[in-house]
């Protein structure tokens, strides 16, 4: 039986003014939210920031620059093994360098749990409607 979620530890590097600094990341995926992937990024010893975005955005970003607004993803033009994920919020912007192989592997594991095109069948629509404040009955 396949698991219902993924929690994959990995490393990234945040781009600072003068260098790339290693940062812990947990890549998360759940069949309960099959269209989304989550990156929990360490901001200190016990502090984490969570970014949730479309699984399709990650898949496209591994191939070419894509995304508008809060999350932009694209391959590095000089290092084929690197992918950049840039996240923006009202408090600032951060740019992270990921190993492409790590993201490829994580994405493949999400597709093993929920193949592309089958996401809608995994959504618990009554639960979602209740969360939105509607009547699921």
């Amino acid at each position: 039986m396949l698991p219902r979620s993924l929690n994959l530890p990995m490393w990234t590097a945040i781009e600072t003014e003068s260098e790339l600094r290693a940062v812990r990341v947990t890549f998360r995926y759940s069949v309960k939210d099959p269209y989304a992937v989550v990156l929990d990024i360490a901001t200190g010893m016990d502090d984490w920031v969570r970014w949730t975005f479309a699984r399709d955005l990650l898949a496209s970003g591994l191939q070419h620059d894509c995304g508008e607004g809060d999350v932009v993803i694209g391959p590095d033009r000089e290092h084929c093994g690197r992918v950049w994920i840039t996240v923006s919020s009202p408090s600032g912007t951060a740019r992270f360098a990921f190993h492409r192989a790590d993201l490829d592997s994580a994405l493949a594991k999400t597709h093993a749990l929920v193949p592309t095109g089958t996401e809608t069948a995994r959504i618990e629509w009554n639960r979602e409607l209740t969360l939105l404040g509607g009547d699921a009955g």
Side-chain angles (χ1 to χ4, degrees), residues 88-110:
S88 300
S89 74
S91 61
T93 299
R95 189 169 186 234
F96 297 94
F98 282 83
H99 291 285
R100 181 189 178 93
D102 291 344
L103 295 177
D104 279 334
S105 175
L107 191 60
K109 289 175 182 177
T110 72

Side-chain angles (χ1 to χ4, degrees), residues 5 8 12 18-19 29 46 51 56 65 68 83-84 92 96 102 112 128 131:
S5 63
L8 307 172
T12 185
S18 60
E19 65 184 358
Y29 181 77
D46 295 318
W51 287 90
D56 288 347
D65 292 345
E68 296 179 13
V83 174
W84 291 99
F96 297 94
D102 291 344
E128 294 298 319
L131 289 173

Side-chain angles (χ1 to χ4, degrees), residues 2 29-35 55-56 110-125:
L2 291 173
Y29 181 77
S30 173
V31 298
K32 289 183 178 182
D33 193 2
Y35 287 106
R55 179 172 73 164
D56 288 347
T110 72
H111 287 126
L113 295 180
V114 180
T116 300
T118 68
E119 297 93 346
T120 303
R122 299 295 183 115
I123 296 174
E124 298 172 19
W125 292 106

Side-chain angles (χ1 to χ4, degrees), residues 27-92:
F27 179 98
R28 300 184 189 280
Y29 181 77
S30 173
V31 298
K32 289 183 178 182
D33 193 2
Y35 287 106
V37 296
V38 175
L39 293 179
D40 286 336
I41 301 170
T43 59
M45 289 301 294
D46 295 318
D47 298 321
W48 296 80
V49 173
R50 176 167 285 181
W51 287 90
T52 303
F53 52 92
R55 179 172 73 164
D56 288 347
L57 177 64
L58 178 58
S60 295
L62 293 175
Q63 307 304 316
H64 56 84
D65 292 345
C66 64
E68 296 179 13
D70 295 346
V71 180
V72 177
I73 303 173
D76 189 307
R77 287 174 176 62
E78 295 177 14
H79 299 93
C80 63
R82 181 185 296 166
V83 174
W84 291 99
I85 298 180
T86 304
V87 294
S88 300
S89 74
S91 61

